[in-house]
Amino acid sequence: MTKKVLTRPLLQINLNAVKENYQFLKTLCAPAECSAVVKNNAYGLGVREIVTALKNVGCKTFWTAHAHEGAEIRALIPDCDIIVLQGPCQDTIQLFQDYHLIPVINTLDQLEYWEANKTDNAKPFVLHIDTGLNRYGLRTNDIKRLSSQLNRLNDLYMVISHLACADDNGHFMNNYQQKQFTELCACLPKVKKSLSASDGAFLGNEFSYDMVRLGAALFGINTAPYRENQMKNVISIQAPVLQIEELPLGQYCGYGAAYRAHTTRRLAVISIGYGDGIPCSLRNVGWVWFQDKNDMYYEARITGRISMDIITCDITDIPRGVVQTGTQASLVNERYTVDDLGRDAGTIGYEVISRLGKRFKRVYLD
Amino acid sequence: MTKKVLTRPLLQINLNAVKENYQFLKTLCAPAECSAVVKNNAYGLGVREIVTALKNVGCKTFWTAHAHEGAEIRALIPDCDIIVLQGPCQDTIQLFQDYHLIPVINTLDQLEYWEANKTDNAKPFVLHIDTGLNRYGLRTNDIKRLSSQLNRLNDLYMVISHLACADDNGHFMNNYQQKQFTELCACLPKVKKSLSASDGAFLGNEFSYDMVRLGAALFGINTAPYRENQMKNVISIQAPVLQIEELPLGQYCGYGAAYRAHTTRRLAVISIGYGDGIPCSLRNVGWVWFQDKNDMYYEARITGRISMDIITCDITDIPRGVVQTGTQASLVNERYTVDDLGRDAGTIGYEVISRLGKRFKRVYLD
């Protein structure tokens, strides 16, 4: 075994691609401000590195879901706007004050709570109104009620809503929600408006208003899947081959004997599993990729179930020599992105990246 | 809003239940030693807390997948055996020495590498032989070859193998692998033997040999699903209700408009999502649980897609007053365990716990 053999899977995150994606979307959405959504540890990719990279290309506004996520960003960047989507509650109100976080107010109850508990030097707030997603946010009746209590909106900084079907440019909900948004905003004071996230950014400028909230697209996900992906790939995942063996005709592989060799096969054992975030639903359907020294790509089907630390794949049809013990297998790359892996796993790229494991050796390219 | 409202989801891990599960399995598997598998941050539950709890009930041997995981445990417990399943490789060999880790040797290549690179005071090693799982481990030919080179096995500490179908007590693979294991061990020096993980522990004493490697069952998972779960529940997941709203007839809820109200419904918005580890595959099929002050349980179906930070559920049929803003919804509890959630999500409880998110407020009960 002279070849260098590793056992730890490798997650590479290309910060240059994140920055290029930001620049691309900034041009696309101009003159709207492009803010960044970095909740859940920047979709699992590392909030410190992502926020720093985006700050360096001029991003000034960051969104998180929870207040403690916002506090973490404030430690990195003293002079940006940090907006917290989940809004203030009894165990986070102090964080809003200490870290100068901007609250999103999603219900009349929450507005009342904020009014009663905010400090004198509190930041102005963002109002989240629902336009058809029917998730979190003020409903039409709430807005009508507020429109007759305009003194409660003296500190209003921005009005936002969120699109339900913006990844489908032909969906009737898009125009419906956009019209609703414009109409409901007309009942409220004239402040900044924001409707679109990454997917809305591709729907045309009438969806961009004053600010677009960019998340998934920054990280390479195709949020406009009705056309070729315009984003640079950000993520690559590799894991080493631990062993190569023949699986004789009629024998089984992995838990539940879920794969059976109908002819004698050659299998490679790879050092990555669902504990690292490879979804179990890729059993018998996922792909692993190998590259030879001439940059030829070869595909190998995942055989049997995904284990916590290991997968096996079928390399029978790959020329001998390409795959050896120690060879790095690729699970996500420029050709087979997290969108592809998500689709094959019956889910979305968003879930794939948000649920990657902690055991990777993480390398940031910049 | 006088009621205390929180926004952060809560993960409670009952260390007493882990300890009781260990004691139960120890009795079940006696006289075999009961070791613990704590790879991948103890299946996602926190390696420090789990290892400390198990040490306190007498567990002396711990298994990890990777060497850096083993090093973390050594810092907690100076005097236990730590066995590393993935075995030594070029970037971890130093860890084996520095932290006195016991390597598992899975291939002849790996044995050769260990022989050439181990230090004089290196720990004895474990040999992993394959008996039909056809994943990682020495094949029959390798073992036959070794049986004529017994001098290479002077430092052999234990022989292990792993069962493919032990969660199905009627599966033919169980007896086949057990017979194979006994036969192959007979070619090797007489040392300790270990075949079973949590699922094998329930197959009868002839599967237990000298050591059982307990993982999932310690954490409450039913690894013998052909009978009622014998394990105490370890995990509970709760998240607060952020908002309650009517969804009028004909309106949609969530991304992709994936839920439509065919009668007017009452929905609760809950502060948890796939970013916290709630699988996207629970869209429109998962359950959320509420409890009234008389401990009555009520179920609410998840409506529409799972968002990164939010789910919605249908509380129309739950008596008014039970669910309010701020009420804690339960996603995993004693009645609806991670096995149940895994089944409804089309996966296994193992994947659910191993991929829980980082945003929880984590509370350890002891």
Side-chain angles (χ1 to χ4, degrees):
Chain A
M1 192 149 62
T2 48
K3 199 168 169 18
K4 190 168 165 68
V5 178
L6 312 178
T7 53
R8 200 166 176 177
L10 173 68
L11 170 63
Q12 287 180 298
I13 296 163
N14 187 337
L15 296 174
N16 275 326
V18 174
K19 290 191 266 191
E20 284 183 51
N21 289 339
Y22 180 83
Q23 304 281 20
F24 174 90
L25 292 162
K26 198 174 162 184
T27 306
L28 182 71
C29 299
E33 179 186 342
C34 281
S35 61
V37 184
V38 292
K39 59 192 185 177
N40 198 36
N41 193 32
Y43 291 41
L45 301 185
V47 70
R48 290 172 176 271
E49 293 80 1
I50 296 292
V51 160
T52 306
L54 289 170
K55 178 195 132 189
N56 289 341
V57 285
C59 184
K60 290 183 167 57
T61 304
F62 297 92
W63 302 76
T64 68
H66 293 276
H68 70 273
E69 299 176 316
E72 194 178 350
I73 297 174
R74 178 61 74 213
L76 300 170
I77 312 183
D79 60 344
C80 63
D81 282 345
I82 301 169
I83 313 181
V84 177
L85 289 159
Q86 232 71 328
C89 70
Q90 267 142 316
D91 62 348
T92 62
I93 184 96
Q94 190 68 38
L95 292 175
F96 281 87
Q97 188 182 323
D98 295 349
Y99 295 93
H100 314 293
L101 308 176
I102 299 177
V104 175
I105 301 296
N106 298 277
T107 66
L108 289 182
D109 276 352
Q110 202 168 38
L111 179 58
E112 207 177 301
Y113 177 73
W114 179 246
E115 288 166 343
N117 292 281
K118 66 173 179 160
T119 53
D120 288 343
N121 61 350
K123 287 271 185 185
F125 63 88
V126 171
L127 208 59
H128 179 193
I129 67 175
D130 190 86
T131 52
L133 182 61
N134 283 304
R135 212 178 51 173
Y136 201 20
L138 291 151
R139 300 304 197 260
T140 303
N141 281 344
D142 302 327
I143 299 156
K144 298 236 157 103
R145 193 168 140 202
L146 268 186
S147 68
S148 64
Q149 306 172 334
L150 288 179
N151 61 315
R152 299 178 73 184
L153 301 178
N154 288 338
D155 288 340
L156 183 62
Y157 169 63
M158 180 160 47
V159 179
I160 66 168
S161 190
H162 199 61
L163 296 165
C165 303
D167 60 353
D168 176 358
N169 63 342
H171 204 290
F172 75 89
M173 284 290 285
N174 297 328
N175 288 330
Y176 170 79
Q177 286 196 267
Q178 194 250 329
K179 191 162 159 274
Q180 280 283 105
F181 187 59
T182 297
E183 279 178 25
L184 290 169
C185 283
C187 309
L188 296 168
K190 262 203 159 180
V191 293
K192 284 190 190 184
K193 299 180 191 63
S194 173
L195 175 63
S196 284
S198 289
D199 43 9
F202 293 89
L203 292 179
N205 269 7
E206 69 276 26
F207 286 84
S208 294
Y209 295 90
D210 300 295
M211 189 185 288
V212 177
R213 309 182 302 270
L214 302 173
L218 293 177
F219 311 129
I221 286 175
N222 189 358
T223 61
Y226 44 84
R227 59 189 257 187
E228 281 297 311
N229 197 358
Q230 309 290 302
M231 299 297 107
K232 299 269 184 195
N233 185 56
V234 170
I235 293 155
S236 87
I237 296 177
Q238 293 181 304
V241 173
L242 298 172
Q243 187 178 9
I244 296 171
E245 292 290 341
E246 282 210 336
L247 183 66
L249 166 64
Q251 283 201 24
Y252 300 87
C253 165
Y255 285 121
Y259 176 83
R260 183 169 186 264
H262 293 282
T263 62
T264 294
R265 311 305 295 172
R266 220 161 125 254
L267 301 190
V269 177
I270 320 273
S271 188
I272 194 168
Y274 65 79
D276 305 296
I278 305 302
C280 286
S281 54
L282 287 174
R283 66 182 84 87
N284 280 325
V285 301
W287 297 101
V288 172
W289 303 86
F290 295 97
Q291 217 171 337
D292 69 13
K293 54 191 174 195
N294 300 319
D295 279 350
M296 275 283 288
Y297 268 69
Y298 300 95
E299 62 184 19
R301 178 79 79 164
I302 290 176
T303 51
R305 290 200 198 152
I306 313 294
S307 302
M308 191 185 287
D309 320 301
I310 282 174
I311 58 175
T312 51
C313 64
D314 186 344
I315 58 168
T316 312
D317 297 334
I318 300 179
R320 296 273 165 152
V322 173
V323 185
Q324 298 172 10
T325 307
T327 300
Q328 288 284 326
S330 173
L331 287 103
V332 169
N333 54 63
E334 215 166 296
R335 296 193 186 199
Y336 186 80
T337 68
V338 290
D339 290 325
D340 295 312
L341 189 143
R343 183 197 59 240
D344 289 345
T347 183
I348 48 177
Y350 299 68
E351 183 181 21
V352 174
I353 63 173
S354 300
R355 298 182 68 196
L356 290 173
K358 295 183 208 174
R359 289 194 300 196
F360 284 105
K361 179 175 179 191
R362 284 186 180 228
V363 173
Y364 290 89
L365 308 174
D366 202 358
Chain B
M1 191 150 61
T2 49
K3 199 169 171 11
K4 189 166 166 70
V5 178
L6 311 177
T7 53
R8 200 165 175 178
L10 173 67
L11 171 63
Q12 287 180 297
I13 296 163
N14 187 338
L15 295 174
N16 276 326
V18 174
K19 290 191 266 191
E20 284 184 49
N21 290 338
Y22 180 82
Q23 304 280 20
F24 174 90
L25 292 162
K26 197 174 162 184
T27 307
L28 181 71
C29 299
E33 180 186 342
C34 280
S35 61
V37 184
V38 291
K39 59 193 186 177
N40 198 38
N41 193 32
Y43 290 41
L45 301 186
V47 70
R48 290 170 177 272
E49 292 80 2
I50 297 291
V51 160
T52 306
L54 289 170
K55 178 195 131 190
N56 290 341
V57 284
C59 184
K60 289 183 168 58
T61 303
F62 296 91
W63 302 76
T64 68
H66 292 276
H68 69 272
E69 298 178 316
E72 194 177 350
I73 296 174
R74 178 60 75 213
L76 299 169
I77 312 184
D79 60 346
C80 62
D81 283 344
I82 301 168
I83 312 180
V84 178
L85 290 159
Q86 232 70 329
C89 71
Q90 266 140 318
D91 61 348
T92 62
I93 183 95
Q94 191 68 38
L95 293 174
F96 281 86
Q97 187 183 324
D98 295 349
Y99 295 93
H100 313 294
L101 308 176
I102 298 177
V104 175
I105 301 296
N106 298 276
T107 66
L108 289 182
D109 277 351
Q110 204 168 34
L111 179 58
E112 205 177 304
Y113 177 72
W114 179 245
E115 288 165 343
N117 293 281
K118 66 174 178 161
T119 53
D120 288 342
N121 62 350
K123 287 271 186 187
F125 63 89
V126 170
L127 207 60
H128 179 193
I129 66 175
D130 190 86
T131 52
L133 183 62
N134 284 304
R135 210 178 51 174
Y136 201 20
L138 291 151
R139 299 305 197 260
T140 304
N141 281 344
D142 302 326
I143 299 156
K144 299 232 157 107
R145 192 167 141 202
L146 269 186
S147 68
S148 64
Q149 306 172 334
L150 289 179
N151 61 315
R152 300 179 73 183
L153 302 177
N154 288 338
D155 288 341
L156 183 62
Y157 167 64
M158 182 160 48
V159 179
I160 66 169
S161 189
H162 199 60
L163 296 165
C165 302
D167 60 352
D168 177 358
N169 61 344
H171 203 289
F172 75 90
M173 284 290 286
N174 297 328
N175 289 329
Y176 170 79
Q177 287 195 266
Q178 195 250 329
K179 192 163 158 275
Q180 280 282 105
F181 187 58
T182 298
E183 280 178 23
L184 290 169
C185 283
C187 310
L188 297 168
K190 261 202 160 181
V191 293
K192 284 191 190 185
K193 300 181 190 63
S194 173
L195 175 62
S196 284
S198 289
D199 42 10
F202 293 89
L203 292 180
N205 269 7
E206 69 275 25
F207 285 84
S208 292
Y209 295 90
D210 300 296
M211 189 185 286
V212 177
R213 309 183 302 270
L214 302 172
L218 293 176
F219 311 130
I221 285 176
N222 188 359
T223 61
Y226 44 84
R227 59 189 258 186
E228 281 296 312
N229 197 358
Q230 308 291 302
M231 299 296 106
K232 300 270 184 194
N233 185 57
V234 169
I235 293 155
S236 87
I237 296 177
Q238 294 181 303
V241 173
L242 297 171
Q243 187 178 11
I244 295 170
E245 291 291 342
E246 281 210 336
L247 183 67
L249 167 64
Q251 283 202 24
Y252 299 87
C253 166
Y255 285 122
Y259 176 83
R260 183 168 187 265
H262 294 281
T263 62
T264 294
R265 311 304 295 174
R266 220 162 124 252
L267 301 190
V269 177
I270 320 274
S271 187
I272 195 168
Y274 65 78
D276 305 296
I278 304 302
C280 286
S281 54
L282 287 175
R283 65 183 84 87
N284 279 326
V285 300
W287 298 100
V288 171
W289 303 86
F290 295 97
Q291 217 171 338
D292 70 12
K293 54 190 173 194
N294 301 317
D295 278 350
M296 276 283 288
Y297 268 70
Y298 301 93
E299 61 184 20
R301 177 80 79 167
I302 290 176
T303 51
R305 289 200 198 154
I306 312 295
S307 302
M308 190 184 289
D309 319 302
I310 281 174
I311 58 175
T312 51
C313 63
D314 185 343
I315 58 169
T316 312
D317 297 333
I318 301 179
R320 295 273 165 153
V322 173
V323 185
Q324 298 171 12
T325 307
T327 300
Q328 287 285 327
S330 173
L331 286 104
V332 169
N333 54 62
E334 215 167 297
R335 294 192 186 202
Y336 186 79
T337 68
V338 289
D339 290 325
D340 295 313
L341 189 143
R343 183 197 58 241
D344 289 345
T347 184
I348 48 177
Y350 299 69
E351 183 180 21
V352 173
I353 64 173
S354 300
R355 299 182 65 196
L356 290 172
K358 295 183 208 173
R359 289 194 299 196
F360 284 104
K361 180 176 178 191
R362 285 185 180 227
V363 174
Y364 290 89
L365 308 174
D366 201 359

